Amino acid sequence: MKCILIEDEIPAQRILQNYISKLPNLEFVASFQSALEANATLQNQPIDIVFLDINLPDISGIDYMKTLLNPPCIIITTAYHEHAVESFELDTICDYLVKPFSFERFLKAINKANKNLGVVKKTATQQEIPSDTLFLNIDKTLHKISMCDIIYIESDKNYVTVVSEEGKFCYLDSLKNWMLKLPPTEFIQVHKSYIVNCRKIDRISGNLLYMNTQKIPIGRLYKVGLLKKLMP
């Protein structure tokens, strides 16, 4: 498992690197003193685990992770207890280590991360679709749609509405499942309730994007990733 450190204290970096070196299944990639320094690595190569401090320069660790569309498994490493509840509200946080922590406690976190990553990879494999065609099972009827014809997907509680050139299809599902199905080069989540086809975007104005006559809100946490994808 490839891992990086985002930690602004050099002694803490050395302790973590020492712990990582003891485990053959961990591959240390790099360490960074701020989340912004780590941004390029997280965007350009697959990372399985991030050891993340919370109090960092420029932007806190938790706030930065909220900006990532597909974040890796996060292990918080901090000297403070009070952020634990907020951290575990994020799906990608798999453990919370309070400094100083022992190697045994570190190993427990790694085992938990390994288990979580195994579940994610299994789910991704199960959801993988080898072609650009999908069949949606709605009211015992299979509806065939092409991914390239999807305009956007909207979530409302436990249901999603797939809006495509063929029509609208509403059924029980989640945006999280759709992010596993769709090619990331063409689709992006722009709001907690919307995934859009980048090729179908007509224009962006403020915190709204326009797709034909439809106006779709852009969430504050998603805007940076959207603009970076559209204007690399």
Side-chain angles (χ1 to χ4, degrees):
M1 296 184 290
K2 293 185 176 182
C3 59
I4 65 170
L5 315 181
I6 306 179
E7 167 64 68
D8 62 341
E9 297 179 356
I10 300 302
Q13 286 187 11
R14 290 171 178 164
I15 291 172
L16 281 165
Q17 289 182 44
N18 179 46
Y19 286 173
I20 291 169
S21 69
K22 296 176 183 292
L23 300 177
N25 64 322
L26 291 184
E27 178 184 344
F28 173 69
V29 176
S31 62
F32 305 92
Q33 291 186 297
S34 75
L36 297 184
E37 290 178 4
N39 190 59
T41 298
L42 286 171
Q43 295 291 340
N44 296 323
Q45 64 175 292
I47 299 297
D48 299 303
I49 301 174
V50 175
F51 296 95
L52 176 69
D53 194 6
I54 292 178
N55 294 326
L56 295 168
D58 300 320
I59 182 173
S60 77
I62 291 178
D63 286 342
Y64 174 70
M65 282 301 154
K66 289 178 181 178
T67 70
L68 296 178
L69 298 179
N70 295 296
C73 182
I74 310 299
I75 297 177
I76 295 294
T77 59
T78 180
Y80 304 96
H81 294 268
E82 56 265 29
H83 300 288
V85 174
E86 179 187 3
S87 298
F88 280 115
E89 289 177 350
L90 301 173
D91 293 339
T92 54
I93 305 295
C94 66
D95 212 339
Y96 191 98
L97 301 181
V98 179
K99 304 170 186 174
F101 48 85
S102 66
F103 176 72
E104 287 75 15
R105 182 64 184 87
F106 172 84
L107 181 58
K108 182 178 180 180
I110 294 301
N111 289 337
K112 186 182 295 186
N114 189 43
K115 181 178 180 181
N116 288 355
L117 287 168
V119 171
V120 170
K121 288 176 181 177
K122 181 179 179 181
T123 302
T125 301
Q126 291 171 342
Q127 295 291 340
E128 185 178 353
I129 297 173
S131 70
D132 62 353
T133 300
L134 291 171
F135 284 88
L136 305 183
N137 189 352
I138 303 173
D139 295 330
K140 299 181 180 180
T141 300
L142 293 178
H143 297 266
K144 179 182 177 181
I145 62 171
S146 298
M147 288 188 187
C148 62
D149 289 335
I150 295 174
I151 302 171
Y152 67 90
I153 302 167
E154 179 181 2
S155 171
D156 183 12
K157 296 182 180 178
N158 295 324
Y159 287 83
V160 297
T161 299
V162 180
V163 180
S164 75
E165 303 291 351
E166 291 94 343
K168 293 185 178 182
F169 306 91
C170 182
Y171 72 114
L172 189 66
D173 205 343
S174 69
L175 287 189
K176 186 175 182 179
N177 284 340
W178 272 95
M179 287 303 295
L180 295 172
K181 301 175 185 179
L182 297 168
T185 55
E186 297 180 22
F187 290 85
I188 187 170
Q189 186 167 356
V190 298
H191 186 275
K192 65 180 180 180
S193 300
Y194 288 92
I195 296 171
V196 303
N197 186 338
C198 295
R199 298 179 183 273
K200 306 289 186 180
I201 297 174
D202 293 323
R203 68 186 188 277
I204 295 174
S205 179
N207 290 322
L208 291 174
L209 62 82
Y210 294 80
M211 312 182 80
N212 295 327
T213 59
Q214 179 69 29
K215 292 190 294 186
I216 293 178
I218 303 172
R220 179 175 59 87
L221 299 178
Y222 299 90
K223 190 169 185 177
V224 173
L226 173 62
L227 295 178
K228 185 177 293 185
K229 188 177 187 68
L230 297 179
M231 299 183 298

mmCIF file with all atom_site columns, all heavy atoms in Angstrom, residues 111-133:
data_model
loop_
_atom_site.group_PDB
_atom_site.id
_atom_site.type_symbol
_atom_site.label_atom_id
_atom_site.label_alt_id
_atom_site.label_comp_id
_atom_site.label_asym_id
_atom_site.label_entity_id
_atom_site.label_seq_id
_atom_site.pdbx_PDB_ins_code
_atom_site.Cartn_x
_atom_site.Cartn_y
_atom_site.Cartn_z
_atom_site.occupancy
_atom_site.B_iso_or_equiv
_atom_site.pdbx_formal_charge
_atom_site.auth_seq_id
_atom_site.auth_comp_id
_atom_site.auth_asym_id
_atom_site.auth_atom_id
_atom_site.pdbx_PDB_model_num
ATOM 1   N N   . ASN A 1 111 ? -3.918  -2.111  10.049  1.00 0.00 ? 111 ASN A N   1
ATOM 2   C CA  . ASN A 1 111 ? -4.778  -3.275  9.813   1.00 0.00 ? 111 ASN A CA  1
ATOM 3   C C   . ASN A 1 111 ? -6.206  -2.847  9.485   1.00 0.00 ? 111 ASN A C   1
ATOM 4   O O   . ASN A 1 111 ? -6.874  -3.462  8.640   1.00 0.00 ? 111 ASN A O   1
ATOM 5   C CB  . ASN A 1 111 ? -4.764  -4.193  11.035  1.00 0.00 ? 111 ASN A CB  1
ATOM 6   C CG  . ASN A 1 111 ? -3.439  -4.917  11.201  1.00 0.00 ? 111 ASN A CG  1
ATOM 7   O OD1 . ASN A 1 111 ? -2.695  -5.088  10.232  1.00 0.00 ? 111 ASN A OD1 1
ATOM 8   N ND2 . ASN A 1 111 ? -3.114  -5.326  12.413  1.00 0.00 ? 111 ASN A ND2 1
ATOM 9   N N   . LYS A 1 112 ? -6.672  -1.808  10.160  1.00 0.00 ? 112 LYS A N   1
ATOM 10  C CA  . LYS A 1 112 ? -8.012  -1.292  9.874   1.00 0.00 ? 112 LYS A CA  1
ATOM 11  C C   . LYS A 1 112 ? -8.063  -0.689  8.465   1.00 0.00 ? 112 LYS A C   1
ATOM 12  O O   . LYS A 1 112 ? -9.021  -0.911  7.721   1.00 0.00 ? 112 LYS A O   1
ATOM 13  C CB  . LYS A 1 112 ? -8.396  -0.239  10.915  1.00 0.00 ? 112 LYS A CB  1
ATOM 14  C CG  . LYS A 1 112 ? -9.837  0.246   10.788  1.00 0.00 ? 112 LYS A CG  1
ATOM 15  C CD  . LYS A 1 112 ? -10.151 1.331   11.819  1.00 0.00 ? 112 LYS A CD  1
ATOM 16  C CE  . LYS A 1 112 ? -10.090 0.805   13.226  1.00 0.00 ? 112 LYS A CE  1
ATOM 17  N NZ  . LYS A 1 112 ? -10.544 1.839   14.201  1.00 0.00 ? 112 LYS A NZ  1
ATOM 18  N N   . ALA A 1 113 ? -7.024  0.050   8.107   1.00 0.00 ? 113 ALA A N   1
ATOM 19  C CA  . ALA A 1 113 ? -6.965  0.645   6.764   1.00 0.00 ? 113 ALA A CA  1
ATOM 20  C C   . ALA A 1 113 ? -6.922  -0.441  5.697   1.00 0.00 ? 113 ALA A C   1
ATOM 21  O O   . ALA A 1 113 ? -7.577  -0.327  4.650   1.00 0.00 ? 113 ALA A O   1
ATOM 22  C CB  . ALA A 1 113 ? -5.753  1.556   6.653   1.00 0.00 ? 113 ALA A CB  1
ATOM 23  N N   . ASN A 1 114 ? -6.144  -1.491  5.953   1.00 0.00 ? 114 ASN A N   1
ATOM 24  C CA  . ASN A 1 114 ? -6.033  -2.595  5.003   1.00 0.00 ? 114 ASN A CA  1
ATOM 25  C C   . ASN A 1 114 ? -7.381  -3.264  4.778   1.00 0.00 ? 114 ASN A C   1
ATOM 26  O O   . ASN A 1 114 ? -7.752  -3.593  3.641   1.00 0.00 ? 114 ASN A O   1
ATOM 27  C CB  . ASN A 1 114 ? -5.016  -3.614  5.523   1.00 0.00 ? 114 ASN A CB  1
ATOM 28  C CG  . ASN A 1 114 ? -4.679  -4.669  4.491   1.00 0.00 ? 114 ASN A CG  1
ATOM 29  O OD1 . ASN A 1 114 ? -4.490  -4.371  3.318   1.00 0.00 ? 114 ASN A OD1 1
ATOM 30  N ND2 . ASN A 1 114 ? -4.599  -5.914  4.933   1.00 0.00 ? 114 ASN A ND2 1
ATOM 31  N N   . LYS A 1 115 ? -8.137  -3.424  5.852   1.00 0.00 ? 115 LYS A N   1
ATOM 32  C CA  . LYS A 1 115 ? -9.466  -4.020  5.746   1.00 0.00 ? 115 LYS A CA  1
ATOM 33  C C   . LYS A 1 115 ? -10.404 -3.106  4.966   1.00 0.00 ? 115 LYS A C   1
ATOM 34  O O   . LYS A 1 115 ? -11.140 -3.558  4.079   1.00 0.00 ? 115 LYS A O   1
ATOM 35  C CB  . LYS A 1 115 ? -10.028 -4.277  7.146   1.00 0.00 ? 115 LYS A CB  1
ATOM 36  C CG  . LYS A 1 115 ? -11.407 -4.935  7.145   1.00 0.00 ? 115 LYS A CG  1
ATOM 37  C CD  . LYS A 1 115 ? -11.884 -5.196  8.563   1.00 0.00 ? 115 LYS A CD  1
ATOM 38  C CE  . LYS A 1 115 ? -13.267 -5.848  8.561   1.00 0.00 ? 115 LYS A CE  1
ATOM 39  N NZ  . LYS A 1 115 ? -13.746 -6.094  9.945   1.00 0.00 ? 115 LYS A NZ  1
ATOM 40  N N   . ASN A 1 116 ? -10.357 -1.812  5.270   1.00 0.00 ? 116 ASN A N   1
ATOM 41  C CA  . ASN A 1 116 ? -11.218 -0.858  4.561   1.00 0.00 ? 116 ASN A CA  1
ATOM 42  C C   . ASN A 1 116 ? -10.894 -0.804  3.076   1.00 0.00 ? 116 ASN A C   1
ATOM 43  O O   . ASN A 1 116 ? -11.788 -0.761  2.230   1.00 0.00 ? 116 ASN A O   1
ATOM 44  C CB  . ASN A 1 116 ? -11.069 0.538   5.164   1.00 0.00 ? 116 ASN A CB  1
ATOM 45  C CG  . ASN A 1 116 ? -11.720 0.656   6.528   1.00 0.00 ? 116 ASN A CG  1
ATOM 46  O OD1 . ASN A 1 116 ? -12.368 -0.271  6.986   1.00 0.00 ? 116 ASN A OD1 1
ATOM 47  N ND2 . ASN A 1 116 ? -11.546 1.775   7.174   1.00 0.00 ? 116 ASN A ND2 1
ATOM 48  N N   . LEU A 1 117 ? -9.600  -0.796  2.747   1.00 0.00 ? 117 LEU A N   1
ATOM 49  C CA  . LEU A 1 117 ? -9.197  -0.743  1.349   1.00 0.00 ? 117 LEU A CA  1
ATOM 50  C C   . LEU A 1 117 ? -9.609  -2.004  0.608   1.00 0.00 ? 117 LEU A C   1
ATOM 51  O O   . LEU A 1 117 ? -9.974  -1.958  -0.564  1.00 0.00 ? 117 LEU A O   1
ATOM 52  C CB  . LEU A 1 117 ? -7.687  -0.534  1.245   1.00 0.00 ? 117 LEU A CB  1
ATOM 53  C CG  . LEU A 1 117 ? -7.194  0.867   1.610   1.00 0.00 ? 117 LEU A CG  1
ATOM 54  C CD1 . LEU A 1 117 ? -5.676  0.870   1.754   1.00 0.00 ? 117 LEU A CD1 1
ATOM 55  C CD2 . LEU A 1 117 ? -7.639  1.875   0.568   1.00 0.00 ? 117 LEU A CD2 1
ATOM 56  N N   . GLY A 1 118 ? -9.563  -3.127  1.286   1.00 0.00 ? 118 GLY A N   1
ATOM 57  C CA  . GLY A 1 118 ? -9.995  -4.379  0.672   1.00 0.00 ? 118 GLY A CA  1
ATOM 58  C C   . GLY A 1 118 ? -11.462 -4.348  0.310   1.00 0.00 ? 118 GLY A C   1
ATOM 59  O O   . GLY A 1 118 ? -11.867 -4.809  -0.760  1.00 0.00 ? 118 GLY A O   1
ATOM 60  N N   . VAL A 1 119 ? -12.286 -3.772  1.180   1.00 0.00 ? 119 VAL A N   1
ATOM 61  C CA  . VAL A 1 119 ? -13.722 -3.655  0.916   1.00 0.00 ? 119 VAL A CA  1
ATOM 62  C C   . VAL A 1 119 ? -13.968 -2.727  -0.255  1.00 0.00 ? 119 VAL A C   1
ATOM 63  O O   . VAL A 1 119 ? -14.774 -2.997  -1.138  1.00 0.00 ? 119 VAL A O   1
ATOM 64  C CB  . VAL A 1 119 ? -14.461 -3.141  2.169   1.00 0.00 ? 119 VAL A CB  1
ATOM 65  C CG1 . VAL A 1 119 ? -15.911 -2.799  1.836   1.00 0.00 ? 119 VAL A CG1 1
ATOM 66  C CG2 . VAL A 1 119 ? -14.401 -4.182  3.274   1.00 0.00 ? 119 VAL A CG2 1
ATOM 67  N N   . VAL A 1 120 ? -13.249 -1.599  -0.293  1.00 0.00 ? 120 VAL A N   1
ATOM 68  C CA  . VAL A 1 120 ? -13.421 -0.625  -1.375  1.00 0.00 ? 120 VAL A CA  1
ATOM 69  C C   . VAL A 1 120 ? -13.042 -1.234  -2.715  1.00 0.00 ? 120 VAL A C   1
ATOM 70  O O   . VAL A 1 120 ? -13.751 -1.078  -3.708  1.00 0.00 ? 120 VAL A O   1
ATOM 71  C CB  . VAL A 1 120 ? -12.585 0.644   -1.102  1.00 0.00 ? 120 VAL A CB  1
ATOM 72  C CG1 . VAL A 1 120 ? -12.572 1.543   -2.329  1.00 0.00 ? 120 VAL A CG1 1
ATOM 73  C CG2 . VAL A 1 120 ? -13.144 1.383   0.099   1.00 0.00 ? 120 VAL A CG2 1
ATOM 74  N N   . LYS A 1 121 ? -11.898 -1.938  -2.760  1.00 0.00 ? 121 LYS A N   1
ATOM 75  C CA  . LYS A 1 121 ? -11.459 -2.528  -4.017  1.00 0.00 ? 121 LYS A CA  1
ATOM 76  C C   . LYS A 1 121 ? -12.431 -3.608  -4.491  1.00 0.00 ? 121 LYS A C   1
ATOM 77  O O   . LYS A 1 121 ? -12.704 -3.728  -5.676  1.00 0.00 ? 121 LYS A O   1
ATOM 78  C CB  . LYS A 1 121 ? -10.060 -3.117  -3.843  1.00 0.00 ? 121 LYS A CB  1
ATOM 79  C CG  . LYS A 1 121 ? -8.981  -2.046  -3.713  1.00 0.00 ? 121 LYS A CG  1
ATOM 80  C CD  . LYS A 1 121 ? -7.624  -2.651  -3.450  1.00 0.00 ? 121 LYS A CD  1
ATOM 81  C CE  . LYS A 1 121 ? -6.568  -1.562  -3.298  1.00 0.00 ? 121 LYS A CE  1
ATOM 82  N NZ  . LYS A 1 121 ? -5.246  -2.128  -2.974  1.00 0.00 ? 121 LYS A NZ  1
ATOM 83  N N   . LYS A 1 122 ? -12.968 -4.385  -3.553  1.00 0.00 ? 122 LYS A N   1
ATOM 84  C CA  . LYS A 1 122 ? -13.934 -5.413  -3.922  1.00 0.00 ? 122 LYS A CA  1
ATOM 85  C C   . LYS A 1 122 ? -15.188 -4.770  -4.493  1.00 0.00 ? 122 LYS A C   1
ATOM 86  O O   . LYS A 1 122 ? -15.731 -5.209  -5.512  1.00 0.00 ? 122 LYS A O   1
ATOM 87  C CB  . LYS A 1 122 ? -14.283 -6.260  -2.696  1.00 0.00 ? 122 LYS A CB  1
ATOM 88  C CG  . LYS A 1 122 ? -15.274 -7.380  -2.991  1.00 0.00 ? 122 LYS A CG  1
ATOM 89  C CD  . LYS A 1 122 ? -15.548 -8.182  -1.742  1.00 0.00 ? 122 LYS A CD  1
ATOM 90  C CE  . LYS A 1 122 ? -16.567 -9.283  -2.020  1.00 0.00 ? 122 LYS A CE  1
ATOM 91  N NZ  . LYS A 1 122 ? -16.876 -10.074 -0.815  1.00 0.00 ? 122 LYS A NZ  1
ATOM 92  N N   . THR A 1 123 ? -15.673 -3.718  -3.855  1.00 0.00 ? 123 THR A N   1
ATOM 93  C CA  . THR A 1 123 ? -16.865 -3.027  -4.325  1.00 0.00 ? 123 THR A CA  1
ATOM 94  C C   . THR A 1 123 ? -16.638 -2.435  -5.699  1.00 0.00 ? 123 THR A C   1
ATOM 95  O O   . THR A 1 123 ? -17.479 -2.526  -6.587  1.00 0.00 ? 123 THR A O   1
ATOM 96  C CB  . THR A 1 123 ? -17.258 -1.912  -3.338  1.00 0.00 ? 123 THR A CB  1
ATOM 97  O OG1 . THR A 1 123 ? -17.466 -2.483  -2.054  1.00 0.00 ? 123 THR A OG1 1
ATOM 98  C CG2 . THR A 1 123 ? -18.530 -1.196  -3.799  1.00 0.00 ? 123 THR A CG2 1
ATOM 99  N N   . ALA A 1 124 ? -15.460 -1.819  -5.896  1.00 0.00 ? 124 ALA A N   1
ATOM 100 C CA  . ALA A 1 124 ? -15.154 -1.215  -7.185  1.00 0.00 ? 124 ALA A CA  1
ATOM 101 C C   . ALA A 1 124 ? -15.148 -2.262  -8.288  1.00 0.00 ? 124 ALA A C   1
ATOM 102 O O   . ALA A 1 124 ? -15.643 -2.029  -9.389  1.00 0.00 ? 124 ALA A O   1
ATOM 103 C CB  . ALA A 1 124 ? -13.810 -0.499  -7.123  1.00 0.00 ? 124 ALA A CB  1
ATOM 104 N N   . THR A 1 125 ? -14.604 -3.447  -7.993  1.00 0.00 ? 125 THR A N   1
ATOM 105 C CA  . THR A 1 125 ? -14.565 -4.518  -8.979  1.00 0.00 ? 125 THR A CA  1
ATOM 106 C C   . THR A 1 125 ? -15.967 -4.991  -9.318  1.00 0.00 ? 125 THR A C   1
ATOM 107 O O   . THR A 1 125 ? -16.301 -5.229  -10.474 1.00 0.00 ? 125 THR A O   1
ATOM 108 C CB  . THR A 1 125 ? -13.728 -5.694  -8.452  1.00 0.00 ? 125 THR A CB  1
ATOM 109 O OG1 . THR A 1 125 ? -12.416 -5.232  -8.166  1.00 0.00 ? 125 THR A OG1 1
ATOM 110 C CG2 . THR A 1 125 ? -13.665 -6.817  -9.471  1.00 0.00 ? 125 THR A CG2 1
ATOM 111 N N   . GLN A 1 126 ? -16.815 -5.112  -8.295  1.00 0.00 ? 126 GLN A N   1
ATOM 112 C CA  . GLN A 1 126 ? -18.176 -5.560  -8.518  1.00 0.00 ? 126 GLN A CA  1
ATOM 113 C C   . GLN A 1 126 ? -18.969 -4.572  -9.355  1.00 0.00 ? 126 GLN A C   1
ATOM 114 O O   . GLN A 1 126 ? -19.811 -4.951  -10.158 1.00 0.00 ? 126 GLN A O   1
ATOM 115 C CB  . GLN A 1 126 ? -18.880 -5.782  -7.174  1.00 0.00 ? 126 GLN A CB  1
ATOM 116 C CG  . GLN A 1 126 ? -18.330 -6.959  -6.392  1.00 0.00 ? 126 GLN A CG  1
ATOM 117 C CD  . GLN A 1 126 ? -18.882 -7.021  -4.989  1.00 0.00 ? 126 GLN A CD  1
ATOM 118 O OE1 . GLN A 1 126 ? -19.419 -6.048  -4.469  1.00 0.00 ? 126 GLN A OE1 1
ATOM 119 N NE2 . GLN A 1 126 ? -18.747 -8.165  -4.343  1.00 0.00 ? 126 GLN A NE2 1
ATOM 120 N N   . GLN A 1 127 ? -18.668 -3.264  -9.171  1.00 0.00 ? 127 GLN A N   1
ATOM 121 C CA  . GLN A 1 127 ? -19.425 -2.248  -9.871  1.00 0.00 ? 127 GLN A CA  1
ATOM 122 C C   . GLN A 1 127 ? -18.860 -1.945  -11.249 1.00 0.00 ? 127 GLN A C   1
ATOM 123 O O   . GLN A 1 127 ? -19.486 -1.249  -12.034 1.00 0.00 ? 127 GLN A O   1
ATOM 124 C CB  . GLN A 1 127 ? -19.420 -0.949  -9.039  1.00 0.00 ? 127 GLN A CB  1
ATOM 125 C CG  . GLN A 1 127 ? -20.132 -1.065  -7.704  1.00 0.00 ? 127 GLN A CG  1
ATOM 126 C CD  . GLN A 1 127 ? -21.628 -1.218  -7.876  1.00 0.00 ? 127 GLN A CD  1
ATOM 127 O OE1 . GLN A 1 127 ? -22.167 -0.883  -8.915  1.00 0.00 ? 127 GLN A OE1 1
ATOM 128 N NE2 . GLN A 1 127 ? -22.299 -1.742  -6.879  1.00 0.00 ? 127 GLN A NE2 1
ATOM 129 N N   . GLU A 1 128 ? -17.663 -2.430  -11.551 1.00 0.00 ? 128 GLU A N   1
ATOM 130 C CA  . GLU A 1 128 ? -17.014 -2.068  -12.803 1.00 0.00 ? 128 GLU A CA  1
ATOM 131 C C   . GLU A 1 128 ? -17.809 -2.546  -14.017 1.00 0.00 ? 128 GLU A C   1
ATOM 132 O O   . GLU A 1 128 ? -18.288 -3.675  -14.067 1.00 0.00 ? 128 GLU A O   1
ATOM 133 C CB  . GLU A 1 128 ? -15.615 -2.684  -12.849 1.00 0.00 ? 128 GLU A CB  1
ATOM 134 C CG  . GLU A 1 128 ? -14.829 -2.275  -14.059 1.00 0.00 ? 128 GLU A CG  1
ATOM 135 C CD  . GLU A 1 128 ? -13.447 -2.856  -14.048 1.00 0.00 ? 128 GLU A CD  1
ATOM 136 O OE1 . GLU A 1 128 ? -13.065 -3.467  -13.040 1.00 0.00 ? 128 GLU A OE1 1
ATOM 137 O OE2 . GLU A 1 128 ? -12.746 -2.700  -15.061 1.00 0.00 ? 128 GLU A OE2 1
ATOM 138 N N   . ILE A 1 129 ? -17.964 -1.675  -14.970 1.00 0.00 ? 129 ILE A N   1
ATOM 139 C CA  . ILE A 1 129 ? -18.690 -1.991  -16.192 1.00 0.00 ? 129 ILE A CA  1
ATOM 140 C C   . ILE A 1 129 ? -17.737 -1.831  -17.371 1.00 0.00 ? 129 ILE A C   1
ATOM 141 O O   . ILE A 1 129 ? -17.197 -0.748  -17.596 1.00 0.00 ? 129 ILE A O   1
ATOM 142 C CB  . ILE A 1 129 ? -19.914 -1.067  -16.352 1.00 0.00 ? 129 ILE A CB  1
ATOM 143 C CG1 . ILE A 1 129 ? -20.873 -1.315  -15.191 1.00 0.00 ? 129 ILE A CG1 1
ATOM 144 C CG2 . ILE A 1 129 ? -20.603 -1.288  -17.678 1.00 0.00 ? 129 ILE A CG2 1
ATOM 145 C CD1 . ILE A 1 129 ? -22.015 -0.359  -15.140 1.00 0.00 ? 129 ILE A CD1 1
ATOM 146 N N   . PRO A 1 130 ? -17.488 -2.877  -18.117 1.00 0.00 ? 130 PRO A N   1
ATOM 147 C CA  . PRO A 1 130 ? -16.431 -2.853  -19.115 1.00 0.00 ? 130 PRO A CA  1
ATOM 148 C C   . PRO A 1 130 ? -16.765 -2.080  -20.395 1.00 0.00 ? 130 PRO A C   1
ATOM 149 O O   . PRO A 1 130 ? -15.917 -1.911  -21.234 1.00 0.00 ? 130 PRO A O   1
ATOM 150 C CB  . PRO A 1 130 ? -16.231 -4.339  -19.428 1.00 0.00 ? 130 PRO A CB  1
ATOM 151 C CG  . PRO A 1 130 ? -17.549 -4.964  -19.143 1.00 0.00 ? 130 PRO A CG  1
ATOM 152 C CD  . PRO A 1 130 ? -18.114 -4.197  -17.993 1.00 0.00 ? 130 PRO A CD  1
ATOM 153 N N   . SER A 1 131 ? -18.006 -1.659  -20.604 1.00 0.00 ? 131 SER A N   1
ATOM 154 C CA  . SER A 1 131 ? -18.365 -0.939  -21.819 1.00 0.00 ? 131 SER A CA  1
ATOM 155 C C   . SER A 1 131 ? -18.996 0.397   -21.463 1.00 0.00 ? 131 SER A C   1
ATOM 156 O O   . SER A 1 131 ? -19.094 0.762   -20.308 1.00 0.00 ? 131 SER A O   1
ATOM 157 C CB  . SER A 1 131 ? -19.348 -1.781  -22.641 1.00 0.00 ? 131 SER A CB  1
ATOM 158 O OG  . SER A 1 131 ? -20.599 -1.829  -21.992 1.00 0.00 ? 131 SER A OG  1
ATOM 159 N N   . ASP A 1 132 ? -19.419 1.120   -22.496 1.00 0.00 ? 132 ASP A N   1
ATOM 160 C CA  . ASP A 1 132 ? -20.034 2.425   -22.261 1.00 0.00 ? 132 ASP A CA  1
ATOM 161 C C   . ASP A 1 132 ? -21.555 2.328   -22.205 1.00 0.00 ? 132 ASP A C   1
ATOM 162 O O   . ASP A 1 132 ? -22.260 3.332   -22.327 1.00 0.00 ? 132 ASP A O   1
ATOM 163 C CB  . ASP A 1 132 ? -19.616 3.413   -23.353 1.00 0.00 ? 132 ASP A CB  1
ATOM 164 C CG  . ASP A 1 132 ? -20.077 2.978   -24.737 1.00 0.00 ? 132 ASP A CG  1
ATOM 165 O OD1 . ASP A 1 132 ? -20.600 1.852   -24.859 1.00 0.00 ? 132 ASP A OD1 1
ATOM 166 O OD2 . ASP A 1 132 ? -19.923 3.770   -25.677 1.00 0.00 ? 132 ASP A OD2 1
ATOM 167 N N   . THR A 1 133 ? -22.063 1.124   -22.004 1.00 0.00 ? 133 THR A N   1
ATOM 168 C CA  . THR A 1 133 ? -23.510 0.908   -21.951 1.00 0.00 ? 133 THR A CA  1
ATOM 169 C C   . THR A 1 133 ? -23.930 0.400   -20.578 1.00 0.00 ? 133 THR A C   1
ATOM 170 O O   . THR A 1 133 ? -23.263 -0.449  -19.990 1.00 0.00 ? 133 THR A O   1
ATOM 171 C CB  . THR A 1 133 ? -23.953 -0.111  -23.014 1.00 0.00 ? 133 THR A CB  1
ATOM 172 O OG1 . THR A 1 133 ? -23.597 0.382   -24.309 1.00 0.00 ? 133 THR A OG1 1
ATOM 173 C CG2 . THR A 1 133 ? -25.453 -0.331  -22.963 1.00 0.00 ? 133 THR A CG2 1
#
